[in-house]
Amino acid sequence: MHIINILRDIWTRYGGGFNNLSRSEQVEILHGVWTFSLAFGVFACIAMLFVMLARLIQFLT
């Protein structure tokens, strides 16, 4: 229960977090998160492609 109290203190210290932001600030944060997630997903796909190609080349040689 100690961790829950620490998290509750942090939440109240910073004003409740996301809910106290204006609508435009919330949209801006969500847009940034969406962009980061999309970029990370593309990066993960490219990395997986390189790993698969490296294993295929290793298998064929």
Side-chain angles (χ1 to χ4, degrees):
M1 292 306 220
H2 183 66
I3 293 174
I4 294 174
N5 290 332
I6 291 173
L7 292 175
R8 186 177 296 135
D9 290 342
I10 291 171
W11 184 261
T12 55
R13 183 181 308 145
Y14 294 108
F18 196 72
N19 295 331
N20 287 343
L21 298 174
S22 69
R23 182 65 111 187
S24 62
E25 289 172 328
Q26 289 178 358
V27 169
E28 184 178 343
I29 289 172
L30 291 175
H31 184 264
V33 169
W34 174 251
T35 305
F36 175 77
S37 299
L38 184 64
F40 187 76
V42 169
F43 175 73
C45 289
I46 291 171
M48 181 62 75
L49 178 66
F50 282 135
V51 169
M52 287 175 51
L53 286 175
R55 288 186 178 184
L56 180 65
I57 291 170
Q58 183 182 13
F59 178 73
L60 293 176
T61 58

